Amino acid sequence: MTAYEQFEGHIAELNDILNSISILKWDARTNMPPGGALTRGNQLATLSRIANDYFVSDKTARKLDAVEAEIAGEDKDSYRVRAVQQTRQYYELVKRIPVEVTAKKATLAPISEQVWADAKQNNDFASFVPYLQQMLDLSKEQADAIGYEGHPFDALVFEYEPSATAASLKVLFDELKAGLLPLLKRIVANDKPLEKDLWQREYPLDKQKAFGLEMAKKIGYDVQRGRLDIAPHPFEISFTRNDVRITTRYNLNYLPMALFGTLHETGHALYEQGVDPSLTRSALTTDFLGQYPVGGTSYGAHESQSRLWENQIGRSREFWVVHFDRLREIFPEQMADADPDLMYRSVNRVRPSLIRVEADEVTYNLHIMLRTEIEMGLLDGGLKVADLPDVWNAKMEEYLGVIPPNDSKGVLQDVHWSGGGFGSFPGYTVGNVMSAQFLKAAHEQIPTLDASLKQGDYSPLLGWLQSNVYRHGRAYSANELLERSTGKTLHVQPYLAYLEGKFSQLYGLS
Ligand code: ZN
């Protein structure tokens, strides 16, 4: 056996352990009765420790040394070299994080999450302060152990968005704000209620599921290697490219929740199902930090696909011109007095609101910037935990023109910080920006793309994304994927042009 084959075999088993952990997580979030929570926590902790011990071991070190010698001089862009490089990079990274910090964070997380949930319920930020403070201190310790050149945030964002730093995000955010804030002002000034409110009607859940799944299959979701379930906090999760599951949640009146939630998670799933089969169980579909999505190169790259299919395709005029008849076939009474144009306008309403997960395409990124800026302030000491509600509300007013009536609808709305997940938010915005770059490049490279989208044929677009993005798994960074397929690294112009074009037309802006 060559050193590479031995290395591959070693990583394949780690991939098996991590995917088994993911199956238990999927089960916990979809089917598990509440009584199973405590023992499931034990099972996950045990398996995570086994995975960590397996990875941070002398055996891994020996296999890495041997394979590095063997592949020296090979093409640096080949999957083989990238697989070894990434394993080495994460091996060194995980080794640097003190075991005590990881253990303390893992033990504190479920308690902190429970305190957060109660605090949110009771609008009691003060009760959450000591836990948030501990999570922040542990995250700072983690950042110091990992090391950084610029800002402590850089060490933490690496886990989610390896190409990003505090400095690069600041530039990105400033450019986005310069476009988004004036656009939002013009939209709000021109806003008129629609002639009919489609979301005051009732849409039976079984029919919602049927239509959502039909649209998911239309854009390319392979249900031989996937399934759709219900979850209160929807997600996509994969256990190799051959089993990629999605979840959604339903609201009887508000049809867009499940429909676009399903298309969003389908976008994530298309990425995972499209990974090159040769990468199955390899380092290039292994998240060494025990997170998911596993097959994508970063949160942003993954989010670029969920957002592209949900928003740029699913919320496009062309989509509803093609699929409205089918929607009306499934909901004949509810859609009797509607048409494709009303549907298009109804699913693209812009409204500055308090809650991130309910935000529209124009305001969404402002919610992300606010959170990321606060995280940076907490990590560099510019902000104190106790000051968060005031800072939050001031930024909400500045960016969105609305002030939360209480902390439950403000600083307490997201679960992320209770588990110490600092650095995960910018992925959403990076993904939005990337999605427009990819779609622009696909249009330039496939002259007939417009025509096929107008006919509801998504295979040319899916094929382009598969060969330029999905198949590579984690082989190339987000910026490398962009550079290889569009000729440019991350930049905001295509995304701002997309929003400006779409919403100027929708809101009759000059
Ligand atoms: Zn997503």
Side-chain angles (χ1 to χ4, degrees):
M1 236 200 270
T2 64
Y4 190 82
E5 283 163 349
Q6 289 189 37
F7 160 79
E8 255 190 328
H10 183 66
I11 296 301
E13 286 184 9
L14 173 64
N15 186 282
D16 292 341
I17 302 171
L18 292 172
N19 275 318
S20 306
I21 292 173
S22 291
I23 294 172
L24 290 180
K25 285 186 183 168
W26 171 82
D27 175 76
R29 292 164 168 213
T30 51
N31 290 323
M32 187 182 72
L38 192 63
T39 43
R40 180 58 48 87
N42 294 334
Q43 292 153 1
L44 287 170
T46 301
L47 283 173
S48 298
R49 200 181 57 242
I50 289 173
N52 192 66
D53 292 350
Y54 183 99
F55 182 47
V56 189
S57 63
D58 294 342
K59 201 172 170 189
T60 303
R62 280 199 307 276
K63 297 211 183 285
L64 271 172
D65 290 341
V67 74
E68 280 166 348
E70 188 178 277
I71 63 161
E74 287 185 19
D75 175 6
K76 67 176 181 39
D77 288 342
S78 71
Y79 286 167
R80 281 162 59 95
V81 170
R82 289 298 172 109
V84 173
Q85 256 179 12
Q86 293 216 5
T87 308
R88 168 64 75 186
Q89 190 178 18
Y90 282 101
Y91 175 76
E92 299 299 338
L93 177 83
V94 175
K95 242 178 33 177
R96 279 204 297 272
I97 305 172
V99 200
E100 313 84 65
V101 173
T102 314
K104 266 192 220 160
K105 248 182 143 172
T107 320
L108 186 63
I111 307 165
S112 168
E113 217 173 286
Q114 190 55 54
V115 173
W116 163 78
D118 293 342
K120 183 180 174 180
Q121 175 102 40
N122 304 323
N123 185 33
D124 178 12
F125 181 74
S127 67
F128 181 47
V129 167
Y131 292 86
L132 183 53
Q133 186 66 54
Q134 284 183 73
M135 272 301 176
L136 177 63
D137 293 342
L138 286 167
S139 299
K140 279 186 184 163
E141 245 183 272
Q142 191 179 330
D144 289 341
I146 294 170
Y148 53 85
E149 280 171 21
H151 193 284
F153 188 79
D154 300 352
L156 301 180
V157 76
F158 180 86
E159 188 171 328
Y160 307 95
E161 206 54 45
S163 309
T165 61
S168 76
L169 289 169
K170 193 181 174 323
V171 174
L172 182 77
F173 289 179
D174 285 346
E175 289 173 351
L176 278 174
K177 279 184 213 165
L180 289 176
L181 292 172
L183 175 63
L184 181 60
K185 275 214 176 78
R186 285 154 64 212
I187 291 173
V188 170
N190 257 34
D191 186 42
K192 290 186 240 22
L194 294 179
E195 60 274 24
K196 286 170 199 140
D197 187 348
L198 294 177
W199 318 134
Q200 298 289 343
R201 308 163 183 199
E202 292 193 352
Y203 299 86
L205 305 192
D206 54 333
K207 290 184 172 187
Q208 286 197 38
K209 182 179 178 186
F211 184 71
L213 197 55
E214 191 177 318
M215 292 302 114
K217 287 196 261 185
K218 268 262 162 9
I219 62 173
Y221 187 43
D222 176 1
V223 290
Q224 289 302 311
R225 298 185 285 137
R227 54 178 286 134
L228 168 63
D229 292 274
I230 295 176
H233 302 286
F235 60 97
E236 171 275 336
I237 192 165
S238 85
F239 329 119
T240 80
R241 73 191 293 281
N242 300 314
D243 187 349
V244 183
R245 305 185 188 188
I246 57 174
T247 60
T248 195
R249 56 181 168 162
Y250 296 91
N251 179 296
L252 186 61
N253 304 108
Y254 192 57
L255 179 74
M257 179 187 275
L259 177 57
F260 292 103
T262 302
L263 290 180
H264 179 98
E265 301 309 334
T266 299
H268 284 301
L270 293 177
Y271 197 157
E272 298 284 333
Q273 288 189 331
V275 173
D276 191 304
S278 73
L279 299 184
T280 303
R281 296 175 77 227
S282 79
L284 298 179
T285 51
T286 299
D287 184 345
F288 295 103
L289 299 170
Q291 301 281 357
Y292 64 89
V294 293
T297 195
S298 74
Y299 266 50
H302 234 283
E303 204 62 23
S304 78
Q305 296 312 304
S306 54
R307 309 242 152 206
L308 186 152
W309 289 103
E310 175 196 352
N311 293 328
Q312 279 158 290
I313 300 300
R315 287 183 212 265
S316 68
R317 184 183 289 280
E318 295 75 27
F319 190 89
W320 290 106
V321 169
V322 181
H323 299 298
F324 183 77
D325 284 349
R326 181 65 186 135
L327 179 71
R328 186 151 58 186
E329 223 168 86
I330 294 191
F331 298 108
E333 287 150 35
Q334 297 88 335
M335 288 291 161
D337 59 345
D339 59 27
D341 183 62
L342 179 63
M343 183 66 184
Y344 173 60
R345 285 180 291 131
S346 299
V347 301
N348 283 298
R349 299 283 286 154
V350 174
R351 196 158 284 161
S353 68
L354 299 173
I355 309 295
R356 172 182 67 86
V357 297
E358 294 167 6
D360 54 76
E361 282 186 86
V362 178
T363 56
Y364 191 88
N365 297 295
L366 298 167
H367 290 270
I368 296 302
M369 292 181 217
L370 168 159
R371 285 156 177 76
T372 306
E373 287 163 0
I374 287 179
E375 288 187 2
M376 289 178 189
L378 286 173
L379 285 160
D380 67 23
L383 283 180
K384 300 272 165 282
V385 168
D387 299 334
L388 286 197
D390 289 342
V391 177
W392 183 284
N393 294 350
K395 279 186 185 283
M396 282 298 288
E397 188 176 14
E398 184 189 345
Y399 296 165
L400 291 154
V402 290
I403 305 171
N406 54 52
D407 292 335
S408 302
K409 290 189 168 153
V411 68
L412 284 170
Q413 70 185 263
D414 290 317
V415 67
H416 302 53
W417 293 340
S418 70
F422 298 101
S424 68
F425 281 118
Y428 297 107
T429 288
V430 169
N432 279 327
V433 173
M434 285 179 83
S435 72
Q437 289 182 262
F438 284 134
L439 196 58
K440 182 169 180 270
H443 273 292
E444 286 164 1
Q445 291 166 35
I446 316 171
T448 54
L449 187 57
D450 252 330
S452 65
L453 293 177
K454 280 196 175 110
Q455 286 158 13
D457 175 8
Y458 303 102
S459 54
L461 177 58
L462 182 62
W464 189 92
L465 291 166
Q466 248 157 6
S467 54
N468 286 286
V469 185
Y470 307 166
R471 74 182 166 100
H472 298 306
R474 302 167 76 95
Y476 307 119
S477 71
N479 265 332
E480 282 178 318
L481 285 178
L482 282 171
E483 220 163 357
R484 292 168 70 100
S485 61
T486 74
K488 293 203 170 89
T489 52
L490 191 73
H491 71 120
V492 299
Q493 281 79 10
Y495 181 59
L496 288 177
Y498 156 72
L499 291 177
E500 181 77 36
K502 176 174 178 176
F503 291 95
S504 292
Q505 191 274 332
L506 268 163
Y507 281 84
L509 311 176
S510 49

